[in-house]
Amino acid sequence: MQALQQSLIFIIGILLTSSLFYLILYFGFRRKLALLFLSLFCICQAAKAFFRTDGQLAMQMLSWSEDSAIQGTGFIYTLGGFFLISFLIHQFETPHKAIFLSLCAGVQIVHYLAHWSQLPLVLTIGLSISLYAFRRERLGALLSATGLLLFGLVTYLEIELVNQVGYFIGTIAFILCMTLFVGHQIREQIRMQQAALLRSSALENQLLKKSLQPHFLFNSLMSLQEWIESKPSEAAQFVQALAEEFRSVCKMSGKQLISIDEELAMCRSHLQIMSYRKRAQFELTTKGISGDEQVPPAIFHTLIENGLTHGFAERQHGQFILSKSSISKGHRYELFNDGQAPENGLATVKGTGLKYVEARLEESFPQAWQLQTKIVKGGWLVQIDIQGQK
């Protein structure tokens, strides 16, 4: 009895440590729900070891009766199975998560009330999810299936060989497989973020060169020369707008995030410059913007510049509208312009501008953003979804 208690205490320590490890990862990596569910699964397994009647830890420390310990074990066992299924569903992005989880919970409750074994049910569902992930070439599907098979095999050997801690050895084997998987996933995320940082730095240099390109300065100076002679007041306003845009570009160079007020100020300076140069009128209005939002530098400036280049070549008036709205687990920016769409639809080849925007988004919000460009009634729309922020 004492040897079994020592073994269970050691196993509880391992499981609680694993739970703390995954909880730290949950808060450190964009609060990914799969990590939280894996942490809760570890806690449930530790509690199951504590409630075991043959170990008598709960009966001695909490003065519980044997019946109470058995009831606690059954409830925790069912709850742990639910957290395991929840982890796999969220980890492999199974479609219709809420419906699937509700069905699984319902079946588990029936098994619990009927006093049927939960493990075959949980393993069957878990292996089915792993098979789904494997068929869709999801990272970690084989490791997940291997861990579940080890879990089931060692538990079976416990029953056959009367090994009192075989179930927990299987549990730890599964957690070890998942730790290898999560570690590999984190390493890939860090690698991708570093690659995005390098890519965005290179594109930022291109953007700076583009903003300071010779023909842009030449055309601006030629316009300035004409206005100095004919319209001195407009010339002074043009110089101020030009200086403000260059000052903003240089100021935000090297920053990962800036306030949206700074971004909008640069956008309006650029629109003012282009209004003077094209003898046109370009305006930018906003909806739902509080002003303290943090965005990667020059992303909306770049999108506005693209809009001017492709949609307003022959237009004397242009309207840009930037709006922000809440979506599930984040927010959405929509930049609309009433420019003319090309006859052949949207361009399929991404230019330097869009590549810069995507690289900046990946650098600041790795794998937590989505960008779409589409033709809508009356013009163009660029939609950017960012998860994890309100």
Side-chain angles (χ1 to χ4, degrees):
M1 176 68 69
Q2 187 175 3
L4 177 59
Q5 286 184 344
Q6 291 176 350
S7 299
L8 290 176
I9 291 173
F10 178 69
I11 289 169
I12 290 171
I14 293 175
L15 293 171
L16 290 179
T17 301
S18 300
S19 174
L20 180 61
F21 170 72
Y22 284 115
L23 191 62
I24 292 172
L25 288 182
Y26 166 72
F27 285 107
F29 285 87
R30 305 191 313 278
R31 304 199 175 193
K32 187 176 180 181
L33 274 177
L35 296 174
L36 177 61
F37 284 127
L38 190 54
S39 175
L40 293 173
F41 169 72
C42 293
I43 291 177
C44 286
Q45 298 311 301
K48 184 178 183 302
F50 181 71
F51 289 138
R52 278 184 59 152
T53 56
D54 53 0
Q56 295 189 353
L57 294 175
M59 297 167 67
Q60 291 179 1
M61 295 182 184
L62 303 178
S63 299
W64 277 21
S65 65
E66 183 174 348
D67 289 340
S68 298
I70 291 173
Q71 291 177 3
T73 301
F75 175 76
I76 289 296
Y77 195 47
T78 303
L79 193 61
F82 175 77
F83 288 141
L84 175 58
I85 294 171
S86 300
F87 160 70
L88 294 171
I89 288 175
H90 284 83
Q91 182 63 51
F92 295 122
E93 296 296 329
T94 305
H96 311 295
K97 297 185 186 72
I99 297 175
F100 195 6
L101 276 175
S102 298
L103 290 173
C104 291
V107 175
Q108 282 191 279
I109 291 172
V110 171
H111 275 64
Y112 174 72
L113 295 176
H115 302 289
W116 295 339
S117 177
Q118 292 278 343
L119 187 60
L121 173 67
V122 172
L123 289 178
T124 300
I125 296 174
L127 287 171
S128 299
I129 296 171
S130 299
L131 178 61
Y132 164 84
F134 178 76
R135 292 181 62 182
R136 282 157 181 75
E137 300 181 351
R138 301 284 174 82
L139 181 67
L142 281 178
L143 265 176
S144 172
T146 302
L148 290 170
L149 289 172
L150 284 173
F151 190 6
L153 177 62
V154 177
T155 302
Y156 172 77
L157 292 177
E158 172 187 345
I159 297 172
E160 292 297 314
L161 302 177
V162 197
N163 181 351
Q164 293 176 304
V165 293
Y167 171 86
F168 296 104
I169 294 174
T171 302
I172 293 172
F174 171 74
I175 293 172
L176 179 60
C177 289
M178 292 302 94
T179 301
L180 292 173
F181 166 44
V182 171
H184 177 70
Q185 190 178 45
I186 291 173
R187 185 183 67 180
E188 285 298 303
Q189 288 179 355
I190 293 174
R191 183 189 63 81
M192 291 174 63
Q193 190 168 6
Q194 290 175 340
L197 178 60
L198 293 173
R199 188 165 60 253
S200 67
S201 297
L203 288 167
E204 182 181 7
N205 290 332
Q206 294 182 29
L207 190 68
L208 285 170
K209 291 178 182 178
K210 186 177 181 182
S211 298
L212 301 173
Q213 59 186 320
H215 81 264
F216 176 80
L217 286 174
F218 178 77
N219 291 338
S220 298
L221 291 174
M222 290 297 294
S223 300
L224 179 60
Q225 183 180 15
E226 178 184 345
W227 291 329
I228 288 176
E229 297 176 355
S230 59
K231 298 179 180 179
S233 60
E234 286 190 10
Q237 294 175 2
F238 179 78
V239 170
Q240 183 178 359
L242 189 64
E244 185 62 34
E245 180 173 3
F246 286 162
R247 186 183 300 113
S248 298
V249 170
C250 295
K251 181 180 178 181
M252 66 180 56
S253 177
K255 292 184 178 180
Q256 182 175 344
L257 293 170
I258 61 171
S259 72
I260 201 166
D261 276 347
E262 294 178 273
E263 176 77 6
L264 292 175
M266 184 172 64
C267 292
R268 290 192 170 101
S269 294
H270 186 72
L271 288 174
Q272 188 177 1
I273 292 169
M274 299 308 295
S275 295
Y276 283 127
R277 281 185 46 185
K278 290 179 174 287
R279 303 288 184 179
Q281 184 178 2
F282 299 119
E283 299 174 344
L284 170 64
T285 58
T286 61
K287 297 179 181 179
I289 304 293
S290 64
D292 58 352
E293 296 90 342
Q294 295 289 303
V295 296
I299 60 169
F300 294 120
H301 176 276
T302 302
L303 294 173
I304 287 174
E305 187 179 20
N306 278 355
L308 290 171
T309 301
H310 299 292
F312 296 94
E314 306 297 331
R315 301 278 295 276
Q316 298 304 306
H317 183 274
Q319 179 72 31
F320 291 84
I321 302 174
L322 177 62
S323 60
K324 176 190 171 186
S325 59
S326 297
I327 58 173
S328 176
K329 301 179 183 179
H331 59 257
R332 170 176 294 167
Y333 291 105
E334 290 184 329
L335 180 63
F336 168 82
N337 73 69
D338 59 356
Q340 184 177 2
E343 295 180 358
N344 60 345
L346 291 173
T348 56
V349 180
K350 293 178 181 178
T352 301
L354 272 182
K355 289 180 180 178
Y356 170 80
V357 172
E358 291 181 341
R360 277 301 201 180
L361 289 171
E362 179 62 26
E363 175 192 357
S364 301
F365 315 105
Q367 300 182 16
W369 62 274
Q370 186 176 17
L371 183 148
Q372 290 182 318
T373 59
K374 50 189 174 183
I375 299 174
V376 296
K377 184 178 179 180
W380 290 69
L381 182 69
V382 180
Q383 180 178 295
I384 299 175
D385 293 345
I386 301 176
Q387 298 178 1
Q389 293 192 353
K390 294 293 183 184

